[in-house]
């Protein structure tokens, strides 16, 4: 009798281990390298940078996205940058303001480090209540900085 219970326990454990773990963690990136073709343009560019919950640190994916944008805009004359920040993951308005400011600052510093500087930088902090329903309903999408970089051909290009 005892042996049957132990055998049943092991079989239940084996079945439980056979199912994939259920979590909210994002899927792992693909194992194959992704080739992103280099395109030299001096056109207006839109960049979206997503953040983890309650953080204002760039992920490796965000850093690569900003590196690609920096490579595409190298040698271009950037006239202005508009940053639209949505931080719907904050607990209250003061936390949302400080989190949004930190996120905007880290993104603009990263652009500055890659040589993308503008004479005019405008930042718009969008409270979650004022965000459109498509922006605010999905919280992973409501933790982002949307950038619009206006660029023209610089001297010698």
């Amino acid at each position: 009798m005892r042996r049957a219970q132990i055998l049943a326990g092991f079989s239940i454990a084996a079945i439980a281990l056979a199912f994939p773990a259920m979590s909210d963690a994002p899927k792992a990136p693909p194992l194959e390298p992704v080739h992103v073709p280099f395109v030299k343009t001096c056109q207006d560019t839109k960049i979206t940078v997503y953040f983890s919950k309650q953080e204002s640190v760039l992920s490796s994916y965000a850093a690569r996205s900003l590196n690609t944008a920096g490579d595409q805009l190298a040698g271009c004359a950037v006239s202005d940058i508009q940053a639209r920040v949505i931080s719907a993951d904050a607990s209250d308005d003061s936390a949302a303001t400080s989190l949004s400011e930190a996120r905007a600052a880290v993104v603009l510093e990263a652009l500055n480090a890659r040589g993308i500087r503008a004479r005019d930088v405008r930042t718009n902090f969008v409270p979650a209540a004022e965000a459109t329903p498509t922006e605010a309903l999905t919280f992973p999408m409501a933790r982002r900085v949307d950038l619009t970089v206006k660029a023209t051909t610089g001297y010698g290009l």
Side-chain angles (χ1 to χ4, degrees):
M1 179 75 168
R2 178 92 172 135
R3 185 178 223 182
Q5 290 175 343
I6 292 173
L7 184 61
F10 280 130
S11 61
I12 290 173
I15 291 171
L17 290 175
F19 288 107
M22 304 298 281
S23 70
D24 292 335
K27 292 182 180 180
L31 297 176
E32 303 86 28
V34 177
H35 174 69
V36 179
F38 178 73
V39 179
K40 181 68 178 160
T41 61
C42 285
Q43 299 174 351
D44 296 349
T45 305
K46 293 188 181 214
I47 307 163
T48 301
V49 179
Y50 295 98
F51 289 89
S52 297
K53 189 172 185 177
Q54 300 291 325
E55 288 188 14
S56 60
V57 178
L58 291 177
S59 67
S60 62
Y61 303 114
R64 280 186 265 175
S65 173
L66 292 172
N67 283 337
T68 303
D71 291 344
Q72 288 177 350
L73 294 171
C76 298
V78 177
S79 59
D80 71 313
I81 298 173
Q82 296 175 358
R84 187 168 184 261
V85 185
I86 301 173
S87 295
D89 56 331
S91 56
D92 59 359
D93 289 339
S94 64
T97 301
S98 63
L99 189 60
S100 295
E101 288 173 352
R103 287 175 176 171
V106 78
V107 169
L108 293 174
E109 287 173 13
L111 287 176
N112 194 15
R114 287 159 182 84
I116 301 173
R117 296 173 187 86
R119 294 183 301 263
D120 184 23
V121 177
R122 285 176 274 155
T123 307
N124 180 18
F125 301 112
V126 180
E130 293 179 14
T132 61
T134 57
E135 293 173 333
L137 287 180
T138 56
F139 277 103
M141 303 299 279
R143 301 186 304 250
R144 70 179 191 268
V145 176
D146 293 326
L147 297 169
T148 303
V149 180
K150 298 201 183 269
T152 57
T153 304
Y155 179 74
L157 293 178

